[in-house]
């Protein structure tokens, strides 16, 4: 059996299906993949059906790996995920706009969003535009000259009430959701790509999108801000 460090469990929840996968990140393959198709035209995620689905599959995965599942990634495709976009601008008093200056703006934007949307959990923070003195960039260029930096930032979030209900379900199995992700965002990022969904999730989580700010837990060791992608503490 592949070492546990390379195994990740993904739970996909949408209006049309529930799917659970055990993904081998080292060898890029599914070790377990079970799907429950649902009736069409449903308007809500039925949590009671989700419980039955998990009852039928959690034990099978644990038997396969020979130990309990402790953590899981939850990928949602639902209109309950809200998109909020706004712009933020900051004056630069140095000769160059560097990564530290960019980080300050992102933290300010995050704090502003949370102050005005404290009933929502942030899933993703995406930077859609960088504008330096009226010039637009698709990715950040460290050390560019400019007096002002503006960002167009998009927040993808979900209500804390929904998070509470789903967390409560997974606690029945002593499983912790280590990250919520937006399935539609992931699929759109890999549009026209033949990558399978579990591989998409793994790549998004590990920073393939250079314009996504990655939220990490406060108790984790702080990583370099721009090792491969944005990092700061939530």
């Amino acid at each position: 059996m592949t070492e546990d460090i390379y195994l990740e469990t993904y739970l996909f929840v949408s209006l049309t299906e529930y799917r659970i996968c055990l993904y081998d990140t080292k060898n890029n393959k599914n070790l377990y993949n079970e799907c429950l198709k649902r009736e069409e035209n449903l308007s809500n995620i039925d949590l009671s059906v989700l419980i039955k689905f998990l009852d039928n599959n959690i034990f099978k995965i644990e038997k396969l790996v020979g130990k309990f599942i402790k953590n899981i990634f939850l990928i949602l495709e639902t209109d309950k995920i809200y998109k909020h976009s706004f712009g933020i601008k900051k004056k630069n008093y140095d000769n160059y706009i560097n990564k530290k200056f960019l980080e300050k703006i992102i933290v300010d934007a995050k704090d502003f969003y949370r102050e005005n949307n404290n009933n929502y959990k942030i899933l993703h923070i995406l930077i859609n535009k960088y504008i330096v003195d009226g010039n637009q960039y698709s990715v950040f260029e460290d050390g560019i000259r400019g007096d002002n930096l503006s960002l167009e930032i998009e927040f993808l979030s979900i209500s804390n009430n929904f998070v509470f209900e789903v967390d409560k379900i997974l606690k029945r199995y002593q499983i912790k959701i280590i990250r919520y992700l937006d399935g539609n965002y992931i699929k759109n990022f890999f549009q026209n790509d033949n990558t399978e969904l579990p591989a998409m999730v793994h790549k998004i989580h590990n920073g393939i999108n250079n314009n996504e700010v990655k939220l990490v837990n406060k108790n984790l060791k702080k990583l370099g801000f721009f090792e491969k992608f944005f990092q700061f503490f939530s």
Side-chain angles (χ1 to χ4, degrees):
M1 176 59 65
T2 308
E3 295 180 14
D4 291 345
I5 191 172
Y6 299 116
L7 300 183
E8 294 180 348
T9 307
Y10 302 146
L11 175 61
F12 302 90
V13 176
S14 73
L15 296 178
T16 58
E17 70 174 32
Y18 299 142
R19 182 182 298 273
I20 191 166
C21 299
L22 179 66
Y23 182 63
D24 177 351
T25 63
K26 183 178 182 181
N27 297 297
N28 189 27
K29 66 177 182 180
N30 285 328
L31 301 180
Y32 186 93
N33 184 13
E34 189 65 31
C35 177
L36 173 64
K37 296 289 184 180
R38 305 186 61 214
E39 296 179 4
E40 296 182 359
N41 300 321
L42 294 175
S43 59
N44 291 298
I45 293 172
D46 190 331
L47 297 181
S48 63
V49 176
L50 177 60
I51 291 172
K52 293 179 182 178
F53 176 73
L54 293 172
D55 285 342
N56 291 331
N57 289 283
I58 293 295
F59 175 74
K60 293 178 182 177
I61 296 176
E62 291 177 339
K63 185 177 181 180
L64 178 63
V65 298
K67 62 189 305 181
F68 295 118
I69 300 172
K70 295 181 179 179
N71 302 310
I72 202 167
F73 293 82
L74 179 61
I75 300 91
L76 298 166
E77 290 185 48
T78 170
D79 56 7
K80 292 183 180 295
I81 293 177
Y82 300 95
K83 297 182 179 181
H84 301 89
S85 298
F86 61 87
I88 186 169
K89 182 177 181 180
K90 196 173 185 68
K91 177 77 174 176
N92 177 41
Y93 295 98
D94 296 323
N95 291 327
Y96 299 95
I97 294 175
N98 56 24
K99 300 168 186 175
K100 186 175 181 180
F101 182 74
L102 173 63
E103 181 179 10
K104 290 180 180 178
I105 300 180
I106 295 172
V107 172
D108 287 346
K110 179 209 65 174
D111 291 343
F112 173 81
Y113 180 83
R114 283 188 165 159
E115 287 174 4
N116 292 276
N117 300 275
N118 58 8
N119 292 323
Y120 291 88
K121 177 180 179 64
I122 298 173
L123 308 186
H124 304 275
I125 302 176
L126 308 172
I127 302 180
N128 295 326
K129 292 180 183 177
Y130 304 82
I131 302 173
V132 179
D133 294 347
N135 298 312
Q136 184 174 312
Y137 300 84
S138 59
V139 294
F140 179 72
E141 296 184 13
D142 188 26
I144 192 171
R145 290 182 179 273
D147 295 322
N148 296 282
L149 173 62
S150 301
L151 302 178
E152 182 182 294
I153 303 182
E154 182 177 22
F155 288 81
L156 305 180
S157 59
I158 195 164
S159 75
N160 287 332
N161 289 336
F162 183 83
V163 170
F164 175 78
E165 292 299 325
V166 179
D167 281 348
K168 187 168 62 175
I169 289 174
L170 270 298
K171 285 180 181 178
R172 294 162 55 101
Y173 312 94
Q174 289 78 52
I175 295 175
K176 180 180 179 181
I177 300 172
I178 55 176
R179 187 175 180 189
Y180 285 79
L181 300 103
D182 181 352
N184 288 318
Y185 151 60
I186 294 172
K187 289 179 178 179
N188 288 335
F189 182 82
F190 288 95
Q191 193 173 13
N192 302 321
D193 192 312
N194 293 325
T195 304
E196 293 188 358
L197 188 54
M200 293 181 188
V201 174
H202 179 69
K203 290 178 179 180
I204 285 291
H205 177 65
N206 286 278
I208 193 172
N209 185 358
N210 292 322
N211 287 335
E212 178 173 359
V213 180
K214 185 176 181 183
L215 299 169
V216 295
N217 294 329
K218 289 181 179 180
N219 60 344
L220 295 180
K221 182 180 178 181
K222 189 170 185 178
L223 302 175
F225 182 68
F226 258 67
E227 288 178 345
K228 286 186 179 179
F229 46 92
F230 300 118
Q231 306 248 16
F232 66 87
F233 289 78
S234 58

Short mmCIF file of all heavy atoms in Angstrom, two decimals, residues 182-232:
data_model
loop_
_atom_site.label_atom_id
_atom_site.label_comp_id
_atom_site.label_asym_id
_atom_site.label_seq_id
_atom_site.Cartn_x
_atom_site.Cartn_y
_atom_site.Cartn_z
N ASP A 182 -14.41 25.08 -4.07
CA ASP A 182 -15.48 25.32 -5.02
C ASP A 182 -15.21 24.50 -6.28
O ASP A 182 -14.26 24.77 -7.03
CB ASP A 182 -15.53 26.81 -5.36
CG ASP A 182 -16.64 27.15 -6.34
OD1 ASP A 182 -17.28 26.23 -6.89
OD2 ASP A 182 -16.87 28.36 -6.56
N GLY A 183 -16.05 23.48 -6.53
CA GLY A 183 -15.86 22.60 -7.67
C GLY A 183 -15.99 23.31 -9.00
O GLY A 183 -15.27 23.00 -9.97
N ASN A 184 -16.89 24.28 -9.10
CA ASN A 184 -17.07 25.01 -10.36
C ASN A 184 -15.83 25.85 -10.69
O ASN A 184 -15.41 25.91 -11.85
CB ASN A 184 -18.31 25.89 -10.29
CG ASN A 184 -19.59 25.09 -10.32
OD1 ASN A 184 -19.71 24.13 -11.08
ND2 ASN A 184 -20.56 25.46 -9.49
N TYR A 185 -15.27 26.49 -9.70
CA TYR A 185 -14.04 27.25 -9.91
C TYR A 185 -12.92 26.33 -10.40
O TYR A 185 -12.18 26.66 -11.35
CB TYR A 185 -13.62 27.97 -8.63
CG TYR A 185 -12.14 28.20 -8.49
CD1 TYR A 185 -11.43 28.95 -9.43
CD2 TYR A 185 -11.44 27.67 -7.41
CE1 TYR A 185 -10.06 29.15 -9.30
CE2 TYR A 185 -10.07 27.86 -7.27
CZ TYR A 185 -9.39 28.60 -8.22
OH TYR A 185 -8.03 28.78 -8.10
N ILE A 186 -12.79 25.17 -9.77
CA ILE A 186 -11.73 24.23 -10.15
C ILE A 186 -11.91 23.77 -11.60
O ILE A 186 -10.96 23.77 -12.40
CB ILE A 186 -11.71 23.03 -9.19
CG1 ILE A 186 -11.31 23.48 -7.78
CG2 ILE A 186 -10.76 21.94 -9.69
CD1 ILE A 186 -11.46 22.41 -6.73
N LYS A 187 -13.14 23.40 -11.97
CA LYS A 187 -13.38 22.92 -13.33
C LYS A 187 -13.15 24.03 -14.35
O LYS A 187 -12.61 23.78 -15.44
CB LYS A 187 -14.81 22.39 -13.43
CG LYS A 187 -15.03 21.07 -12.70
CD LYS A 187 -16.47 20.60 -12.82
CE LYS A 187 -16.67 19.26 -12.15
NZ LYS A 187 -18.09 18.81 -12.23
N ASN A 188 -13.54 25.25 -14.03
CA ASN A 188 -13.34 26.36 -14.96
C ASN A 188 -11.85 26.66 -15.15
O ASN A 188 -11.41 27.03 -16.25
CB ASN A 188 -14.06 27.61 -14.46
CG ASN A 188 -15.57 27.51 -14.61
OD1 ASN A 188 -16.07 26.77 -15.45
ND2 ASN A 188 -16.30 28.22 -13.77
N PHE A 189 -11.08 26.51 -14.08
CA PHE A 189 -9.64 26.76 -14.19
C PHE A 189 -8.98 25.77 -15.14
O PHE A 189 -8.06 26.11 -15.88
CB PHE A 189 -8.98 26.68 -12.81
CG PHE A 189 -7.51 26.98 -12.82
CD1 PHE A 189 -7.06 28.30 -12.82
CD2 PHE A 189 -6.57 25.96 -12.86
CE1 PHE A 189 -5.70 28.58 -12.85
CE2 PHE A 189 -5.20 26.23 -12.89
CZ PHE A 189 -4.78 27.55 -12.89
N PHE A 190 -9.46 24.51 -15.12
CA PHE A 190 -8.90 23.46 -15.97
C PHE A 190 -9.74 23.25 -17.23
O PHE A 190 -9.76 22.16 -17.79
CB PHE A 190 -8.80 22.14 -15.20
CG PHE A 190 -7.72 22.14 -14.15
CD1 PHE A 190 -8.02 22.45 -12.83
CD2 PHE A 190 -6.42 21.82 -14.49
CE1 PHE A 190 -7.03 22.44 -11.86
CE2 PHE A 190 -5.42 21.81 -13.52
CZ PHE A 190 -5.73 22.12 -12.20
N GLN A 191 -10.44 24.28 -17.66
CA GLN A 191 -11.30 24.16 -18.84
C GLN A 191 -10.49 23.69 -20.05
O GLN A 191 -9.38 24.13 -20.29
CB GLN A 191 -11.96 25.51 -19.12
CG GLN A 191 -13.09 25.45 -20.11
CD GLN A 191 -13.81 26.79 -20.21
OE1 GLN A 191 -13.33 27.80 -19.74
NE2 GLN A 191 -14.98 26.78 -20.82
N ASN A 192 -11.10 22.75 -20.81
CA ASN A 192 -10.46 22.17 -22.00
C ASN A 192 -9.20 21.37 -21.65
O ASN A 192 -8.30 21.19 -22.47
CB ASN A 192 -10.11 23.25 -23.02
CG ASN A 192 -11.32 24.03 -23.48
OD1 ASN A 192 -12.39 23.45 -23.67
ND2 ASN A 192 -11.16 25.34 -23.65
N ASP A 193 -9.13 20.91 -20.40
CA ASP A 193 -8.01 20.08 -19.93
C ASP A 193 -8.55 18.69 -19.65
O ASP A 193 -9.64 18.54 -19.10
CB ASP A 193 -7.41 20.71 -18.67
CG ASP A 193 -6.08 20.10 -18.29
OD1 ASP A 193 -5.99 18.86 -18.26
OD2 ASP A 193 -5.13 20.86 -18.01
N ASN A 194 -7.78 17.68 -19.97
CA ASN A 194 -8.22 16.29 -19.75
C ASN A 194 -7.90 15.77 -18.36
O ASN A 194 -8.12 14.59 -18.08
CB ASN A 194 -7.59 15.37 -20.79
CG ASN A 194 -8.10 15.65 -22.20
OD1 ASN A 194 -9.26 16.00 -22.39
ND2 ASN A 194 -7.22 15.51 -23.19
N THR A 195 -7.40 16.63 -17.49
CA THR A 195 -7.07 16.23 -16.13
C THR A 195 -8.33 15.74 -15.40
O THR A 195 -9.38 16.36 -15.49
CB THR A 195 -6.46 17.41 -15.35
OG1 THR A 195 -5.32 17.89 -16.05
CG2 THR A 195 -6.06 16.98 -13.94
N GLU A 196 -8.21 14.62 -14.67
CA GLU A 196 -9.34 14.11 -13.90
C GLU A 196 -9.57 14.97 -12.67
O GLU A 196 -8.64 15.61 -12.16
CB GLU A 196 -9.10 12.65 -13.51
CG GLU A 196 -9.09 11.70 -14.70
CD GLU A 196 -9.04 10.25 -14.27
OE1 GLU A 196 -8.97 9.99 -13.05
OE2 GLU A 196 -9.07 9.38 -15.16
N LEU A 197 -10.81 14.97 -12.18
CA LEU A 197 -11.19 15.88 -11.11
C LEU A 197 -10.33 15.74 -9.85
O LEU A 197 -9.91 16.76 -9.29
CB LEU A 197 -12.67 15.69 -10.77
CG LEU A 197 -13.28 16.71 -9.81
CD1 LEU A 197 -13.06 18.13 -10.31
CD2 LEU A 197 -14.78 16.45 -9.64
N PRO A 198 -10.04 14.53 -9.36
CA PRO A 198 -9.18 14.45 -8.16
C PRO A 198 -7.81 15.11 -8.37
O PRO A 198 -7.30 15.77 -7.47
CB PRO A 198 -9.05 12.94 -7.92
CG PRO A 198 -10.28 12.36 -8.53
CD PRO A 198 -10.55 13.21 -9.74
N ALA A 199 -7.23 14.93 -9.56
CA ALA A 199 -5.94 15.56 -9.86
C ALA A 199 -6.08 17.08 -9.90
O ALA A 199 -5.18 17.81 -9.47
CB ALA A 199 -5.39 15.04 -11.18
N MET A 200 -7.23 17.57 -10.41
CA MET A 200 -7.49 19.01 -10.42
C MET A 200 -7.48 19.56 -8.99
O MET A 200 -6.87 20.60 -8.71
CB MET A 200 -8.84 19.31 -11.06
CG MET A 200 -8.95 19.01 -12.53
SD MET A 200 -10.63 19.46 -13.10
CE MET A 200 -10.61 18.81 -14.77
N VAL A 201 -8.19 18.88 -8.11
CA VAL A 201 -8.29 19.32 -6.72
C VAL A 201 -6.91 19.38 -6.08
O VAL A 201 -6.54 20.36 -5.41
CB VAL A 201 -9.22 18.40 -5.92
CG1 VAL A 201 -9.21 18.78 -4.44
CG2 VAL A 201 -10.64 18.45 -6.46
N HIS A 202 -6.14 18.33 -6.29
CA HIS A 202 -4.79 18.27 -5.70
C HIS A 202 -3.92 19.42 -6.20
O HIS A 202 -3.20 20.05 -5.42
CB HIS A 202 -4.15 16.92 -6.05
CG HIS A 202 -2.76 16.77 -5.51
ND1 HIS A 202 -2.49 16.64 -4.16
CD2 HIS A 202 -1.56 16.72 -6.14
CE1 HIS A 202 -1.19 16.53 -3.98
NE2 HIS A 202 -0.60 16.58 -5.16
N LYS A 203 -4.00 19.72 -7.49
CA LYS A 203 -3.19 20.80 -8.06
C LYS A 203 -3.63 22.17 -7.56
O LYS A 203 -2.79 23.03 -7.26
CB LYS A 203 -3.25 20.73 -9.58
CG LYS A 203 -2.51 19.53 -10.18
CD LYS A 203 -2.66 19.49 -11.69
CE LYS A 203 -1.90 18.29 -12.27
NZ LYS A 203 -2.03 18.23 -13.76
N ILE A 204 -4.95 22.38 -7.47
CA ILE A 204 -5.45 23.67 -6.95
C ILE A 204 -5.02 23.84 -5.51
O ILE A 204 -4.55 24.92 -5.10
CB ILE A 204 -6.98 23.75 -7.08
CG1 ILE A 204 -7.39 24.00 -8.53
CG2 ILE A 204 -7.54 24.86 -6.18
CD1 ILE A 204 -7.04 25.38 -9.07
N HIS A 205 -5.17 22.80 -4.71
CA HIS A 205 -4.80 22.89 -3.29
C HIS A 205 -3.31 23.18 -3.12
O HIS A 205 -2.91 23.84 -2.15
CB HIS A 205 -5.16 21.59 -2.57
CG HIS A 205 -4.75 21.57 -1.14
ND1 HIS A 205 -5.29 22.42 -0.19
CD2 HIS A 205 -3.83 20.81 -0.47
CE1 HIS A 205 -4.74 22.19 0.99
NE2 HIS A 205 -3.84 21.23 0.84
N ASN A 206 -2.51 22.72 -4.05
CA ASN A 206 -1.06 22.90 -3.93
C ASN A 206 -0.52 24.08 -4.73
O ASN A 206 0.67 24.19 -4.94
CB ASN A 206 -0.35 21.61 -4.32
CG ASN A 206 -0.47 20.54 -3.25
OD1 ASN A 206 0.27 20.54 -2.27
ND2 ASN A 206 -1.43 19.64 -3.41
N GLY A 207 -1.43 24.96 -5.19
CA GLY A 207 -1.00 26.25 -5.67
C GLY A 207 -0.70 26.40 -7.14
O GLY A 207 0.10 27.25 -7.52
N ILE A 208 -1.36 25.62 -7.99
CA ILE A 208 -1.11 25.76 -9.43
C ILE A 208 -1.58 27.11 -9.97
O ILE A 208 -1.03 27.61 -10.94
CB ILE A 208 -1.77 24.60 -10.21
CG1 ILE A 208 -1.24 24.56 -11.65
CG2 ILE A 208 -3.29 24.71 -10.18
CD1 ILE A 208 -1.68 23.35 -12.44
N ASN A 209 -2.59 27.70 -9.34
CA ASN A 209 -3.07 29.01 -9.77
C ASN A 209 -2.27 30.10 -9.04
O ASN A 209 -2.47 30.35 -7.85
CB ASN A 209 -4.56 29.16 -9.46
CG ASN A 209 -5.12 30.47 -10.00
OD1 ASN A 209 -4.40 31.29 -10.56
ND2 ASN A 209 -6.41 30.67 -9.81
N ASN A 210 -1.37 30.74 -9.77
CA ASN A 210 -0.52 31.76 -9.17
C ASN A 210 -1.28 32.99 -8.69
O ASN A 210 -0.73 33.81 -7.96
CB ASN A 210 0.56 32.19 -10.18
CG ASN A 210 1.56 31.08 -10.45
OD1 ASN A 210 1.93 30.34 -9.55
ND2 ASN A 210 1.99 30.96 -11.69
N ASN A 211 -2.53 33.13 -9.11
CA ASN A 211 -3.33 34.29 -8.70
C ASN A 211 -4.32 33.95 -7.60
O ASN A 211 -5.23 34.73 -7.34
CB ASN A 211 -4.06 34.87 -9.90
CG ASN A 211 -3.13 35.60 -10.84
OD1 ASN A 211 -2.08 36.08 -10.42
ND2 ASN A 211 -3.49 35.68 -12.10
N GLU A 212 -4.14 32.80 -6.97
CA GLU A 212 -4.98 32.47 -5.81
C GLU A 212 -4.18 32.65 -4.53
O GLU A 212 -3.03 32.22 -4.42
CB GLU A 212 -5.49 31.03 -5.88
CG GLU A 212 -6.32 30.68 -4.64
CD GLU A 212 -7.00 29.33 -4.72
OE1 GLU A 212 -6.87 28.65 -5.75
OE2 GLU A 212 -7.67 28.95 -3.73
N VAL A 213 -4.80 33.30 -3.57
CA VAL A 213 -4.21 33.47 -2.25
C VAL A 213 -4.57 32.24 -1.42
O VAL A 213 -5.74 31.90 -1.29
CB VAL A 213 -4.76 34.73 -1.55
CG1 VAL A 213 -4.14 34.90 -0.17
CG2 VAL A 213 -4.49 35.95 -2.41
N LYS A 214 -3.58 31.57 -0.89
CA LYS A 214 -3.86 30.37 -0.12
C LYS A 214 -3.93 30.68 1.36
O LYS A 214 -3.00 31.22 1.95
CB LYS A 214 -2.80 29.30 -0.36
CG LYS A 214 -3.13 27.98 0.33
CD LYS A 214 -2.13 26.89 0.01
CE LYS A 214 -2.54 25.60 0.71
NZ LYS A 214 -1.56 24.52 0.47
N LEU A 215 -5.06 30.33 1.98
CA LEU A 215 -5.23 30.51 3.41
C LEU A 215 -4.69 29.29 4.14
O LEU A 215 -5.01 28.16 3.79
CB LEU A 215 -6.71 30.69 3.75
CG LEU A 215 -7.38 31.91 3.11
CD1 LEU A 215 -8.88 31.82 3.29
CD2 LEU A 215 -6.84 33.17 3.72
N VAL A 216 -3.86 29.52 5.14
CA VAL A 216 -3.33 28.42 5.94
C VAL A 216 -3.64 28.67 7.40
O VAL A 216 -3.89 29.80 7.82
CB VAL A 216 -1.81 28.26 5.74
CG1 VAL A 216 -1.49 27.85 4.32
CG2 VAL A 216 -1.05 29.52 6.10
N ASN A 217 -3.64 27.62 8.20
CA ASN A 217 -3.98 27.73 9.61
C ASN A 217 -2.94 28.53 10.38
O ASN A 217 -1.76 28.49 10.08
CB ASN A 217 -4.11 26.34 10.24
CG ASN A 217 -5.27 25.57 9.66
OD1 ASN A 217 -6.28 26.14 9.26
ND2 ASN A 217 -5.13 24.26 9.60
N LYS A 218 -3.40 29.23 11.40
CA LYS A 218 -2.51 30.07 12.19
C LYS A 218 -1.41 29.28 12.87
O LYS A 218 -0.33 29.78 13.10
CB LYS A 218 -3.32 30.82 13.26
CG LYS A 218 -4.22 31.91 12.69
CD LYS A 218 -4.95 32.61 13.81
CE LYS A 218 -5.85 33.72 13.27
NZ LYS A 218 -6.58 34.41 14.35
N ASN A 219 -1.68 28.03 13.23
CA ASN A 219 -0.71 27.26 13.99
C ASN A 219 0.31 26.57 13.11
O ASN A 219 1.18 25.87 13.58
CB ASN A 219 -1.40 26.23 14.88
CG ASN A 219 -2.23 25.24 14.07
OD1 ASN A 219 -2.52 25.49 12.90
ND2 ASN A 219 -2.60 24.14 14.68
N LEU A 220 0.22 26.76 11.78
CA LEU A 220 1.21 26.18 10.90
C LEU A 220 2.40 27.12 10.76
O LEU A 220 2.27 28.33 10.85
CB LEU A 220 0.60 25.92 9.52
CG LEU A 220 -0.51 24.88 9.45
CD1 LEU A 220 -1.00 24.74 8.02
CD2 LEU A 220 -0.04 23.54 9.97
N LYS A 221 3.56 26.54 10.53
CA LYS A 221 4.76 27.34 10.34
C LYS A 221 4.59 28.22 9.12
O LYS A 221 4.16 27.76 8.07
CB LYS A 221 5.98 26.42 10.17
CG LYS A 221 7.30 27.18 10.01
CD LYS A 221 8.45 26.20 9.85
CE LYS A 221 9.76 26.95 9.64
NZ LYS A 221 10.88 26.02 9.47
N LYS A 222 4.95 29.48 9.23
CA LYS A 222 4.78 30.40 8.12
C LYS A 222 5.76 30.08 7.00
O LYS A 222 6.95 29.91 7.22
CB LYS A 222 4.98 31.85 8.58
CG LYS A 222 4.59 32.86 7.50
CD LYS A 222 4.57 34.27 8.05
CE LYS A 222 4.06 35.24 7.00
NZ LYS A 222 3.97 36.60 7.50
N LEU A 223 5.23 29.97 5.78
CA LEU A 223 6.04 29.67 4.61
C LEU A 223 6.43 30.97 3.91
O LEU A 223 5.89 32.03 4.17
CB LEU A 223 5.24 28.78 3.64
CG LEU A 223 4.75 27.46 4.21
CD1 LEU A 223 3.90 26.75 3.17
CD2 LEU A 223 5.91 26.57 4.62
N GLY A 224 7.38 30.88 3.01
CA GLY A 224 7.77 32.02 2.22
C GLY A 224 6.57 32.53 1.44
O GLY A 224 5.85 31.75 0.83
N PHE A 225 6.39 33.83 1.42
CA PHE A 225 5.15 34.41 0.86
C PHE A 225 4.97 34.06 -0.60
O PHE A 225 3.87 33.86 -1.08
CB PHE A 225 5.20 35.92 1.04
CG PHE A 225 3.97 36.63 0.56
CD1 PHE A 225 2.76 36.46 1.22
CD2 PHE A 225 4.01 37.44 -0.56
CE1 PHE A 225 1.62 37.11 0.79
CE2 PHE A 225 2.87 38.08 -1.00
CZ PHE A 225 1.69 37.92 -0.32
N PHE A 226 6.07 33.99 -1.34
CA PHE A 226 5.95 33.76 -2.77
C PHE A 226 6.77 32.56 -3.22
O PHE A 226 7.42 32.59 -4.25
CB PHE A 226 6.41 35.00 -3.54
CG PHE A 226 5.29 35.82 -4.06
CD1 PHE A 226 4.45 36.48 -3.19
CD2 PHE A 226 5.05 35.95 -5.42
CE1 PHE A 226 3.42 37.26 -3.66
CE2 PHE A 226 4.03 36.74 -5.89
CZ PHE A 226 3.21 37.39 -5.01
N GLU A 227 6.77 31.46 -2.47
CA GLU A 227 7.52 30.29 -2.89
C GLU A 227 7.03 29.80 -4.24
O GLU A 227 7.78 29.60 -5.17
CB GLU A 227 7.40 29.18 -1.85
CG GLU A 227 8.17 29.47 -0.57
CD GLU A 227 8.00 28.39 0.46
OE1 GLU A 227 7.09 27.58 0.32
OE2 GLU A 227 8.80 28.36 1.41
N LYS A 228 5.70 29.60 -4.36
CA LYS A 228 5.10 29.24 -5.63
C LYS A 228 3.81 30.01 -5.86
O LYS A 228 3.37 30.18 -6.97
CB LYS A 228 4.78 27.74 -5.67
CG LYS A 228 6.01 26.86 -5.83
CD LYS A 228 5.59 25.42 -6.02
CE LYS A 228 6.79 24.52 -6.20
NZ LYS A 228 6.41 23.09 -6.35
N PHE A 229 3.22 30.49 -4.75
CA PHE A 229 1.94 31.17 -4.85
C PHE A 229 1.75 31.95 -3.57
O PHE A 229 2.56 31.87 -2.66
CB PHE A 229 0.79 30.17 -5.04
CG PHE A 229 0.85 29.00 -4.12
CD1 PHE A 229 0.21 29.02 -2.89
CD2 PHE A 229 1.57 27.86 -4.45
CE1 PHE A 229 0.26 27.95 -2.03
CE2 PHE A 229 1.63 26.78 -3.58
CZ PHE A 229 0.98 26.82 -2.37
N PHE A 230 0.71 32.72 -3.48
CA PHE A 230 0.47 33.55 -2.30
C PHE A 230 0.21 32.69 -1.06
O PHE A 230 -0.46 31.70 -1.13
CB PHE A 230 -0.76 34.44 -2.53
CG PHE A 230 -0.63 35.36 -3.70
CD1 PHE A 230 -1.48 35.26 -4.75
CD2 PHE A 230 0.36 36.31 -3.72
CE1 PHE A 230 -1.39 36.12 -5.83
CE2 PHE A 230 0.48 37.18 -4.79
CZ PHE A 230 -0.39 37.08 -5.85
N GLN A 231 0.73 33.15 0.08
CA GLN A 231 0.46 32.48 1.34
C GLN A 231 0.29 33.55 2.41
O GLN A 231 1.10 34.45 2.51
CB GLN A 231 1.59 31.56 1.76
CG GLN A 231 1.99 30.55 0.72
CD GLN A 231 1.65 29.13 1.16
OE1 GLN A 231 0.86 28.93 2.09
NE2 GLN A 231 2.22 28.17 0.52
N PHE A 232 -0.73 33.46 3.23
CA PHE A 232 -0.80 34.27 4.43
C PHE A 232 -1.74 33.60 5.40
O PHE A 232 -2.42 32.66 5.06
CB PHE A 232 -1.19 35.73 4.16
CG PHE A 232 -2.57 35.93 3.64
CD1 PHE A 232 -3.64 36.07 4.52
CD2 PHE A 232 -2.81 35.98 2.28
CE1 PHE A 232 -4.91 36.27 4.03
CE2 PHE A 232 -4.09 36.18 1.80
CZ PHE A 232 -5.14 36.31 2.67
#
